[in-house]
Amino acid sequence: MTLRGKEFPEDFLWGGAVAAHQLEGGYDEGGKGLSAADVTTLGGNGVPRKITDGIDPNEYYPNHRAIDFYHRYPEDVKLFAEMGFKCFRTSIAWTRIFPNGDETEPNEAGLEFYDKLFDECLKYNIEPIVTLSHFEMPLHLIKEYGGWRDRRVIGFFMNFAQVCFERYQDKVKYWMTFNEINNQTNFETDGSIFNNSGIVPKPGENRENLMYQAAHYELVASAQAVKLGHEINPKLMIGSMIAMTPIYPLTSKPEDVLFAQRAMQTRFWFSDVHANGFYPKWLLNHFKKHNFDMDITAQDLKDLREGTVDYIGFSYYMSFAVKDTGKLEYNEEHDLVENPYVKASDWGWQVDPVGLRYSLNWFNDRYHLPLFIVENGLGAVDKLTDDKKVHDDYRIEYLTNHIREMKKAVLEDGVDLIGYTPWGCIDLIAASTGQMSKRYGFIYVDENDDGSGSLDRYRKDSFYWFQNVIKTNGSEIE
Ligand code: P53
């Protein structure tokens, strides 16, 4: 079968994705409280971002202003419309709605901001797609409750979810509960458990146990939110959001294959619980083997069963590889090896378009649910020319190669795919490094890593390219 001339389904959701803290700025406007992102400093390529205890006036926090979307969103949404977006994925900053997280009444100014943003999208028939929690937990919940290590946070999250579902049910159909909930499998990295779960480990604490406990509370909160969302409005589609990085065995040696399987189980038990509604047995055995102290009640297990997700949303940037280590336990910090068959980006992410087709089939076989690629893209350095152009052919190439594999998965393999929203459709602050110079966008934002720059927006070459992909519904990708 040739791909040329073949189209995606008519209602396929082409669009772009961002997260509140990475582009809004206005970190202390409209009554907003401080979030985890507001105390995370600038890092660099290979240099981790620091997490400070409150705001230190001697540090630079790139998310405080970000790209000032908070004030410029009408101009930006207009550019998305010009590209032909059918949808736009963003998150609702929890701290705009509940500045501390544990209030009983929401902050009306925060709610109004998202009303205006969603209305602006709907004006152009762009459907908003919303993540509830995207690395932006209220700092107060981190300081007072220790983040997701505390069961009470489930209740606070539910207040937030309820207010959002009730308020925006007629504007937003597709929701996701926790962004990349499985990107804390690398629990030894401070940033990953802080961003995901607001956890600052104490000296001597068992980080793995902490991560599993926090993830359990998040999964219970997610399941309760799915159930409540459906009670509020049965039309809502509430999904998971998983960081999909397929993990291949480096060779066909059976021990390598078995180890890769365990690595996949360790990274994707989160979506197992989301979709199946129960814990995989190997993981319960793992908890026992390590004598982990896990607070899992009978009511939690009931909630998990009753709140399974409607679809699997996932990000896809890269694939991993592993080889047998002699013990069947996967440690993400130490066990990854270089895959000789794929090339890495400038930030060391192993670029693998075929892995996207593999991932779509893997999810499809495992869960039999609709899928939604809610992030994909290439972080790269762009150069604005004197005549204000950006010739980002490397980005066009990356995305073309991924869309081609996605097209095969849909048209040849029969995967049920809702849509495709490339990450950082407008340049924004990178999550891992805090840099502006790690760019993903179709729209260039004139801003440097230190925050200098005019913030003016320019269309890159990829802007016109993606505009045509949407206009032709992918039919020209072959
Ligand atoms: P940045 C790690 C691995 C894969 C995806 O990442 C990741 C991360 C965490 O950085 O995050 C997602 O900006 C995340 C977005 C993030 C995007 O990928 O570090 O959902 O918030 O910006 C790209 O290059």
Side-chain angles (χ1 to χ4, degrees):
M1 171 171 145
T2 128
L3 290 174
R4 193 167 176 84
K6 297 267 188 317
E7 285 186 29
F8 284 86
E10 211 179 309
D11 55 355
F12 191 74
L13 291 175
W14 297 100
V18 300
H21 67 103
Q22 289 173 260
L23 89 166
E24 283 177 5
Y27 83 106
D28 60 355
E29 292 184 55
K32 182 181 169 301
L34 292 182
S35 78
D38 296 324
V39 295
T40 308
T41 67
L42 172 65
N45 194 350
V47 185
R49 304 178 72 176
K50 267 188 305 193
I51 297 152
T52 56
D53 185 23
I55 292 180
D56 176 344
N58 299 315
E59 293 284 358
Y60 174 59
Y61 301 93
N63 301 61
H64 285 191
R65 189 184 59 164
I67 64 161
D68 195 32
F69 183 77
Y70 187 69
H71 297 109
R72 293 168 196 241
Y73 69 88
E75 178 195 345
D76 294 338
V77 172
K78 192 161 176 234
L79 286 165
F80 300 153
E82 189 183 324
M83 257 188 290
F85 277 19
K86 314 270 185 223
C87 72
F88 172 59
R89 172 182 175 233
T90 189
S91 60
I92 295 180
W94 190 343
T95 49
R96 288 204 190 281
I97 313 304
F98 289 98
N100 284 326
D102 59 359
E103 299 90 340
T104 46
E105 290 305 315
N107 169 36
E108 182 56 29
L111 287 165
E112 277 167 18
F113 170 70
Y114 292 103
D115 267 322
K116 285 189 289 180
L117 171 59
F118 298 156
D119 288 342
E120 195 67 21
C121 292
L122 293 167
K123 185 169 115 185
Y124 300 103
N125 289 320
I126 297 175
E127 181 170 345
I129 312 277
V130 170
T131 319
L132 285 170
S133 178
H134 192 134
F135 305 162
E136 52 217 346
M137 185 175 198
L139 187 60
H140 175 77
L141 295 184
I142 294 173
K143 297 199 123 180
E144 291 301 312
Y145 301 85
W148 281 98
R149 63 167 80 220
D150 192 313
R151 178 179 277 280
R152 286 172 294 177
V153 174
I154 299 175
F156 302 138
F157 177 81
M158 289 306 293
N159 293 341
F160 169 53
Q162 177 167 2
V163 165
C164 292
F165 290 148
E166 282 175 352
R167 178 86 170 212
Y168 305 120
Q169 56 178 305
D170 297 321
K171 299 179 184 178
V172 179
K173 175 179 166 196
Y174 288 99
W175 299 80
M176 279 161 275
T177 50
F178 291 89
N179 186 66
E180 294 191 335
I181 189 168
N182 62 327
N183 245 349
Q184 44 191 331
T185 309
N186 54 338
F187 48 81
E188 286 177 22
T189 305
D190 287 341
S192 92
I193 47 175
F194 185 77
N195 287 329
N196 278 280
S197 298
I199 289 184
V200 183
K202 300 179 187 123
E205 269 189 308
N206 185 318
R207 285 170 169 246
E208 187 179 6
N209 191 159
L210 264 179
M211 181 277 286
Y212 279 120
Q213 183 63 66
H216 172 72
Y217 292 146
E218 287 159 13
L219 287 162
V220 170
S222 175
Q224 288 186 8
V226 171
K227 200 172 163 205
L228 177 75
H230 290 156
E231 281 160 18
I232 291 171
N233 189 332
K235 286 201 211 97
L236 301 188
M237 291 283 286
I238 308 169
S240 62
M241 199 313 200
I242 301 290
M244 181 30 124
T245 50
I247 308 172
Y248 305 140
L250 187 64
T251 76
S252 54
K253 185 177 154 201
E255 286 79 4
D256 284 355
V257 176
L258 186 69
F259 189 80
Q261 181 182 53
R262 176 50 47 92
M264 290 287 274
Q265 288 171 323
T266 310
R267 223 182 132 73
F268 302 106
W269 69 272
F270 300 83
S271 45
D272 290 347
V273 175
H274 270 309
N276 301 334
F278 56 86
Y279 271 84
K281 195 66 204 275
W282 74 267
L283 184 56
L284 296 173
N285 288 343
H286 180 79
F287 294 161
K288 267 200 219 117
K289 180 174 158 200
H290 291 276
N291 288 317
F292 286 161
D293 181 17
M294 293 291 296
D295 168 30
I296 301 180
T297 66
Q299 181 62 43
D300 291 347
L301 297 177
K302 184 166 181 284
D303 288 343
L304 293 178
R305 274 197 307 277
E306 292 175 352
T308 54
V309 292
D310 299 317
Y311 69 98
I312 305 281
F314 70 94
S315 63
Y316 182 82
Y317 293 91
M318 58 187 150
S319 62
F320 293 160
V322 290
K323 60 179 202 261
D324 180 35
T325 59
K327 67 172 193 180
L328 204 50
E329 292 201 8
Y330 167 66
N331 180 314
E332 194 144 305
E333 256 92 3
H334 306 292
D335 295 344
L336 298 179
V337 296
E338 206 179 294
N339 180 344
Y341 299 100
V342 300
K343 283 211 286 277
S345 76
D346 290 344
W347 274 262
W349 292 19
Q350 297 187 130
V351 175
D352 174 15
V354 173
L356 177 57
R357 183 177 183 181
Y358 173 84
S359 300
L360 286 161
N361 276 279
W362 188 86
F363 275 134
N364 192 47
D365 290 349
R366 200 168 174 101
Y367 304 126
H368 310 287
L369 285 172
L371 304 174
F372 199 155
I373 302 170
V374 295
E375 291 184 24
N376 174 230
L378 178 69
V381 174
D382 289 333
K383 192 176 169 305
L384 187 68
T385 60
D386 292 342
D387 56 349
K388 308 295 183 204
K389 303 236 179 325
V390 177
H391 302 303
D392 54 344
D393 43 312
Y394 36 90
R395 179 167 297 109
I396 295 173
E397 187 191 337
Y398 176 103
L399 294 170
T400 303
N401 291 342
H402 284 77
I403 295 173
R404 182 183 305 115
E405 296 304 321
M406 162 174 110
K407 197 168 167 182
K408 291 181 202 162
V410 173
L411 299 181
E412 297 183 19
D413 308 335
V415 165
D416 179 8
L417 185 64
I418 299 167
Y420 177 69
T421 56
W423 175 252
C425 47
I426 180 165
D427 290 346
L428 40 61
I429 305 294
S432 54
T433 64
Q435 293 169 297
M436 268 308 291
S437 55
K438 189 181 186 189
R439 296 174 185 273
Y440 288 86
F442 302 115
I443 300 162
Y444 184 90
V445 177
D446 178 25
E447 184 175 4
N448 303 309
D449 286 347
D450 63 3
S452 61
S454 66
L455 292 183
D456 287 347
R457 274 69 164 150
Y458 299 100
R459 296 166 187 80
K460 303 184 193 176
D461 288 356
S462 58
F463 179 101
Y464 301 104
W465 167 82
F466 197 51
Q467 183 182 52
N468 185 59
V469 170
I470 299 177
K471 197 174 87 196
T472 57
N473 198 15
S475 66
E476 290 179 9
I477 304 258
E478 52 187 320

